[in-house]
Every structure is written in structure tokens, then in C-alpha cells.
Amino acid sequence: MGKPVSDQHTEWLSISEYLQSSTPANFNPASPDNFQHQPLPEAPVIASDPQTGVLTAELTAAYDTYNFTTFRQGASVTEELYLRSYNGAMVGPTMVARPGDVLKIRLMSGLPEETHPPHCDDTGHCDHNVPHNFNTTNLHTHGLHVDPTGKSDNVFVKLTSGEHFDYEIQIPEDHPAGTFWYHAHIHGATSVQVGSGMAGALIIKGDYDEMPGLGQADERVMMFQEIAFNEQGRIENNDTFAPTAWDDLSTERGWHISVNGAVMPEISLRPGEVEHWRLVHAGVRKLMNLRLVPACGTEQAVPLVQLAADGIPFDTKRLADDRGVFLAPGYRNDVAVRAFRPGVYYLVDTLDPTAGATLSEHYCDRNRGDAPLVLDQQAQSILARVVVSGAPKLMWYPRNGALAKLQRPEPIGSEELSPLAQYVEFDIDVSQDPWVGLINGQPYDPDQPRILKLGEAQTWYISSVFSHHPFHIHVNPFEVIRRDASGNVVDRFWKDTINVPEIDPNDEVGTTIEARMRYTDFSGAFVAHCHILDHGDHGMMEKVVIEP
């Protein structure tokens, strides 16, 4: 997360940007002829009935055919994809509800008969930690603090071809307003199904959206997806999600991080206008660091002022040193965006290996003129084109005082903590073929759950001995605790997914995540896992049971 910033700091940013704001000479906002940046698509919205407090939705999981415009070998191409999806779209509908509402979602499976059951040996033992069940499905509302049992957010439901299930998910009256999402969560096939686009945004509206500085702002939902299709335009196994597959194959295959199903779409802003961007990392495994940089490289990046993470608002605005925002799979970050200077900007993933320190000169609209856009390696790191033009519309960021008053869980004090801590250690056993994901030395075994007690609060220490892993737990969010070298708490914020770096033997404390978790309201069984989705399919998951 970025560092907390004061209202004075963001006001200074406003003045500094305003003083530099003038229309540059030869400003050319036209989209190049050789790659038409389509407007950012918007998924259809399904909202709850304000009179009854019920959201009624139908999702059909089925194969469909899509025309996916991307680029390969420097030229725009349109690939025909045949993928599993919801309601015949590459991104599921956006569901919008409020605290206290009920989500009544009928999930119907139009997928074919299962052809990838778990591998079973001659003794009848079935290995459920090898990817399987690609045509079996279910639904998870990622980040919601709701009942994990019965017809609610139950990830142990399994739907096969022709079956349906009626979910009924009661959102608590005191639930924070924020950005959440839903996606398929069948063990063994989560990477294949989410990687095909079986996901959508889930927005809980409330006090957050109505506070001064945000209630007047237009908002955009941005679902970032890794659609790693094979040469036939399909995703039928985990091969395209291998650890280095994206870096090795994306350029030649035409893979590109899509935003709401589109490659490098265009967003229009007016000078001085604040927009509320809800960023959802709905991909499988890539880490991203997003920055909004000028096409001509003559000014600083536009600040992405962070307001909330994983559906829970911060108590003060935050800004990273590079003015960007970090996203791991499963993350949601809400940012306020404002650019004063007219011109063309690009939303860039600076963690992509093709990204440079600055954009090449030919991306500058003033240099390009009417020439075609050069779709070189660096274009792989560009996620969207942003054009700032038109009449100025002066707006201000939300104030910290307004953020501080919003609904969020109470901080977990040291006096509340049980003396016994919980430990999570991620690892991968590469000596086996196929490899196996481990938590505390064991692959996923639903008969060996972690037992917790309703009403307790505990410290969790989360680490990784091999590579990085985004830790996600269902039902209850956790409070991340950051300390200085002397052990003093210097920062704390709420999350439900946190990237865990590979442990540094010289700094085990600094590379171990310390979090506090309170088990409230709901007992029952659910799961915790790595949100690099093929890691979970290979066993990097555990069952968690909260007992009354």
C-alpha cells in the first residue's frame, strides 16, 4: 500500500498540477488508424431492488465464441476465442447491492459433460490436487463477510452439466461499502475458469460512495484479466498458466492483459475532473504495478490516490512513492484519478518485463502525428489509453476526515488477541511431477482442516519459502500490521488478500506478513489459499472451520 498522505499534500499536488496545466502544442488525441482504441467497455449492471433489498440475477456458465482484438508481430489482429464464460460475455455482469440486501443468484451450468475428473489409481485413491473438473463449477463472492454455508457463499457446492443452484447470500447491515468481485471457485479448475473470464465485479454501495469528493465523481469498474488462450483460441488445461508462460509466449501468441475484455481501450477525462476507478485484478498469476504516465514523457505520472483496498476504505488517503498502485491476483484497489494537463496518457504495468523507464518517443501523440502506432514490445505493458481533453472541470479529492468516518471493522487491539498465533507457510514441491503446492508442508486435504473458534481474535504470521504467493482467506478480512526495526507499529490497514514475498533469511521478520484476524458472526467451513490460481488447483489451499 502507499503511504498515508494529508489533505495538505493532495492539495499541493492539485496546485502543482494546475500550475503546469496548459494545452501542449500539436496535441493530437486521435486514435491511430492501425489500432483503434475502443472506448472502455462496461459490463451490464444488475442492481438490487431498493424497495425489497433483493438483487436477483441469473448467471449461465457456458462456452461462447468471441472476437478478441489484440496485436501480434507489430500488427493488429482479431483472434476468435472459444471460452467458458458467464452469460456469453468475456466479463460477467456487474452486481450492485447495499448493506442489508440479499443476493439471489441462480447459477446454471451450460457446460458440457465432465471430461476431466480427478485422477484415480487402481486402489481407488483420487488425487484432487492435480488440475481437474474443468466443466464442473460453482460461485464465490470474493471478499464479502457472509455465511460460508448452505446456499450462501459455499465453495463446496459442485454443479455439473445441466444443473443449477440458487444462491441466497445475506449481506450484513453493517457491511462496509466497497469493491468486491465474484468468480468460479471449483477446486482443480479455478485457474482454467477464471482465466477464461468467469468473473465479474460486485459493488456494495453505501456511505463510501456518498462522501463529499466521491459522490460527485464518475466511476469506472476495471476488471484486469489474463486470457492466455492456446493456438486454437481455447483454454483447456493449465499449460498456458505455467510460471514463465506469459513472459515467454505473450508476444508471439497475442496475449495481452485485457480491461473489461478489451485490449488497450480508451478512457476520456476532462482536465481537473476526479474519477473514481475501481480496479479489480481478476487474473490468474501476474503481479502488476499500474502507473498513469504521459505519452510524451515530459511530466510526472498522474497520481493514483488510493482510497480503499479489498473493499474496505482506508482511514486516510494513500499515495505510493511512484504515484502508482500495486495489484496482485485477487486485489481490489479504489483510486481517485485527476489529470489537469490536456494530452494523451497511458496506463502502464511497470512490472511487465517489456516496460521501460519511460515510453518510447513514438508513443508521443505530438511526435507521431498521423503516422501509425508502433506496436513494439513496450506495447505489451500498456493497459489503456487515457485522453484528457475538453472544457476543464475542477474537482477535489475526498477529505481524510470523511474517509475516517466510514464504516469499517474496528481495529484489533493487542489486548483482544488470543495468546496462540496461527501460522501459514507457502511452499512448492517441485520434486513431484506434476508439482504440488503446500501450506505448512501439506497439500490440500479437506479431511485435515484448520480449526478456529468463533468470537476469538488471533495474530497470523504468513510466509513463503519458495517464490511469492498472494494469501487469501474467505469470510473474515484481516488487519495487516507493519512495524519498524524496533518493533513499533507504524502502519495498519484491512485486506482480504495480501502478497507474501519469498522469505529473506537475513530478514525473516521483514519478509513475513503479520496480520490480525477476528472471527465474527459466522461459523462453518471455507478455505484459505494462494490466489495464484493454478497454485491453489495444485494443492496450495487448506480448509478452515470456525466452530461455535
Side-chain angles (χ1 to χ4, degrees):
M1 299 298 102
K3 299 175 182 176
V5 292
S6 66
D7 291 327
Q8 289 78 12
H9 181 79
T10 49
E11 285 172 0
W12 176 86
L13 282 176
S14 304
I15 295 169
S16 175
E17 290 175 316
Y18 178 74
L19 291 174
Q20 300 175 47
S21 62
S22 60
T23 302
N26 304 316
F27 169 42
N28 178 20
S31 187
D33 291 337
N34 66 318
F35 192 92
Q36 292 295 309
H37 298 274
Q38 63 171 297
L40 177 72
E42 295 183 2
V45 174
I46 302 173
S48 61
D49 185 321
Q51 302 301 316
T52 64
V54 176
L55 183 149
T56 304
E58 290 189 351
L59 294 178
T60 298
Y63 275 97
D64 222 307
T65 302
Y66 309 94
N67 290 323
F68 185 69
T69 300
T70 180
F71 58 89
R72 189 173 60 246
Q73 297 178 340
S76 175
V77 296
T78 298
E79 298 280 356
E80 185 176 89
L81 307 184
Y82 187 63
L83 303 173
R84 301 168 179 86
S85 65
Y86 290 135
N87 295 1
M90 288 186 68
V91 178
T94 297
M95 299 187 191
V96 180
R98 301 185 70 87
D101 285 352
V102 178
L103 310 181
K104 292 188 175 181
I105 304 170
R106 169 166 285 193
L107 177 62
M108 298 174 287
S109 175
L111 296 170
E113 294 291 335
E114 187 60 75
T115 57
H116 299 86
H119 172 72
C120 300
D121 61 24
D122 294 338
T123 68
H125 170 73
C126 298
D127 187 351
H128 51 253
N129 291 320
V130 173
H132 64 283
N133 275 353
F134 299 153
N135 291 330
T136 303
T137 196
N138 64 8
L139 193 70
H140 167 49
T141 54
H142 182 128
L144 290 189
H145 176 62
V146 294
D147 189 342
T149 65
K151 297 174 71 176
S152 188
D153 188 31
N154 185 346
V155 296
F156 302 109
V157 169
K158 295 182 179 180
L159 296 184
T160 58
S161 181
E163 295 182 331
H164 74 268
F165 189 83
D166 291 319
Y167 289 90
E168 190 166 322
I169 302 170
Q170 175 71 58
I171 303 170
E173 294 279 356
D174 61 351
H175 200 288
T179 304
F180 304 90
W181 64 303
Y182 63 89
H183 60 84
H185 203 297
I186 200 75
H187 180 54
T190 306
S191 57
V192 165
Q193 294 184 11
V194 176
S196 298
M198 292 178 65
L202 173 55
I203 311 300
I204 305 299
K205 293 280 191 176
D207 57 356
Y208 174 64
D209 312 270
E210 297 158 4
M211 66 175 170
L214 204 62
Q216 300 77 28
D218 289 338
E219 76 173 42
R220 299 181 191 269
V221 176
M222 300 187 194
M223 299 281 291
F224 298 97
Q225 296 174 306
E226 300 163 62
I227 309 294
F229 46 88
N230 64 17
E231 293 175 338
Q232 289 74 46
R234 303 173 67 124
I235 299 175
E236 293 301 330
N237 53 48
N238 289 73
D239 291 352
T240 56
F241 303 124
T244 65
W246 191 274
D247 293 343
D248 295 342
L249 301 174
S250 58
T251 300
E252 65 179 77
R253 292 281 181 86
W255 299 345
H256 197 283
I257 297 292
S258 59
V259 189
N260 297 353
V263 170
M264 293 197 299
E266 184 168 287
I267 298 167
S268 297
L269 283 172
R270 288 166 60 182
E273 177 185 19
V274 171
E275 282 201 345
H276 175 197
W277 290 3
R278 299 180 183 267
L279 310 177
V280 181
H281 192 326
V284 174
R285 62 163 38 245
K286 277 179 65 67
L287 301 180
M288 299 192 294
N289 190 71
L290 308 187
R291 297 180 70 223
L292 184 56
V293 299
C296 299
T298 55
E299 303 96 29
Q300 284 188 297
V302 174
L304 300 180
V305 177
Q306 299 178 45
L307 305 176
D310 292 356
I312 300 178
F314 296 123
D315 58 7
T316 185
K317 297 186 290 292
R318 288 172 175 261
L319 185 66
D321 290 340
D322 67 352
R323 299 185 168 201
V325 60
F326 173 79
L327 295 173
Y331 275 33
R332 287 92 62 218
N333 274 79
D334 286 38
V335 298
V337 183
R338 179 185 56 203
F340 277 103
R341 185 176 176 83
V344 174
Y345 299 79
Y346 287 101
L347 187 64
V348 176
D349 172 18
T350 61
L351 293 184
D352 191 285
T354 66
T358 59
L359 288 172
S360 301
E361 288 187 1
H362 56 254
Y363 287 103
C364 177
D365 55 292
R366 301 195 296 275
N367 293 341
R368 181 174 57 82
D370 295 327
L373 185 66
V374 178
L375 296 170
D376 59 8
Q377 276 285 99
Q378 198 171 43
Q380 288 292 125
S381 69
I382 296 174
L383 304 180
R385 183 178 191 255
V386 178
V387 177
V388 179
S389 63
K393 182 181 180 182
L394 185 59
M395 297 176 65
W396 301 97
Y397 298 120
R399 307 284 290 185
N400 286 340
L403 278 167
K405 296 176 183 177
L406 298 179
Q407 178 70 43
R408 64 176 61 80
E410 289 292 326
I412 301 175
S414 299
E415 72 284 351
E416 187 181 346
L417 295 169
S418 164
L420 297 177
Q422 297 288 329
Y423 294 86
V424 173
E425 183 184 80
F426 289 118
D427 197 4
I428 298 177
D429 184 353
V430 295
S431 69
Q432 299 191 51
D433 186 18
W435 55 269
V436 178
L438 307 174
I439 293 180
N440 295 345
Q442 299 296 321
Y444 175 59
D445 183 351
D447 296 326
Q448 299 292 323
R450 183 188 297 261
I451 306 296
L452 306 174
K453 185 70 174 176
L454 186 66
E456 284 193 345
Q458 290 180 290
T459 297
W460 287 58
Y461 295 104
I462 312 163
S463 61
S464 171
V465 297
F466 185 82
S467 190
H468 66 271
H469 303 280
F471 169 78
H472 172 56
I473 189 166
H474 296 200
V475 182
N476 293 296
F478 48 84
E479 190 179 20
V480 178
I481 304 296
R482 295 279 166 84
R483 300 180 185 271
D484 61 19
S486 300
N488 301 308
V489 176
V490 294
D491 197 10
R492 57 201 306 166
F493 49 85
W494 288 90
K495 293 275 289 170
D496 61 51
T497 310
I498 188 74
N499 191 56
V500 183
E502 183 172 324
I503 201 160
D504 182 348
N506 298 315
D507 185 17
E508 291 191 12
V509 173
T511 49
T512 296
I513 301 296
E514 178 185 350
R516 295 177 178 179
M517 199 180 308
R518 182 190 287 126
Y519 321 128
T520 61
D521 300 323
F522 306 110
S523 57
F526 49 94
V527 294
H529 57 94
C530 172
H531 221 281
I532 295 176
L533 297 177
D534 58 309
H535 288 185
D537 288 337
H538 277 266
M540 198 175 288
M541 184 168 77
E542 68 174 349
K543 188 175 183 179
V544 178
V545 175
I546 295 181
E547 295 183 339

